[in-house]
Amino acid sequence: QVQLVESGGGSVQAGGSLRLSCTANGRIYPYYCMAWFRQAPGKEREGIVSIRGDGRQNYADPVKGRFTISKDNAKNTVYLRMNNLKPDDTAMYYCALVGRDQFWYPQCLTVEYNHWGQGTQVTVSS
């Protein structure tokens, strides 16, 4: 069983930056995707960015050019750097992981994830 532990949320003014971290504890399959999702009050959860084990990244349109995902394989950690934050970015942010023994997932933003973190709150004020 894998546990995902997130950190780095907080409150910031519009235009500011935050960095979220997600560390995976446990066995990770070699062909994996990790992603960040967010859910604002009254809205559905949305996938915003993903990274595959081989480094391939996908970004949803609302965050392109502002958010950057990266990973540190030695630490089993994924980071989300968020720049130029907007009030619309206010949400609970969740880290997610899915993996298997062979074959890369073609598109990590649309795959079904089976491991989730507890969430970290990001609040952006205008």
Side-chain angles (χ1 to χ4, degrees):
Q1 188 70 10
V2 176
Q3 275 191 323
L4 300 178
V5 180
E6 299 134 334
S7 61
S11 297
V12 66
Q13 288 191 327
S17 299
L18 285 173
R19 190 181 79 158
L20 307 183
S21 300
C22 172
T23 298
N25 298 310
R27 179 178 182 255
I28 300 173
Y29 287 91
Y31 296 87
Y32 70 88
C33 293
M34 290 189 77
W36 288 94
F37 288 73
R38 68 185 182 186
Q39 188 167 20
K43 294 187 177 181
E44 291 190 357
R45 186 175 61 193
E46 62 172 343
I48 56 172
V49 60
S50 65
I51 189 165
R52 207 166 65 173
D54 63 353
R56 179 177 294 185
Q57 302 172 17
N58 291 101
Y59 293 86
D61 287 343
V63 305
K64 279 181 182 176
R66 300 188 298 121
F67 291 11
T68 303
I69 192 170
S70 60
K71 62 185 178 74
D72 184 332
N73 292 330
K75 296 181 179 180
N76 282 348
T77 298
V78 168
Y79 304 98
L80 180 62
R81 178 68 180 180
M82 305 184 293
N83 294 329
N84 191 21
L85 282 160
K86 305 175 181 180
D88 283 350
D89 295 317
T90 295
M92 186 70 80
Y93 284 69
Y94 298 91
C95 175
L97 167 72
V98 66
R100 57 192 182 188
D101 280 323
Q102 55 184 343
F103 306 121
W104 293 116
Y105 294 94
Q107 222 288 23
C108 286
L109 268 183
T110 57
V111 72
E112 184 173 346
Y113 286 84
N114 57 1
H115 297 286
W116 294 86
Q118 79 284 358
T120 185
Q121 178 68 37
V122 171
T123 302
V124 185
S125 58
S126 57

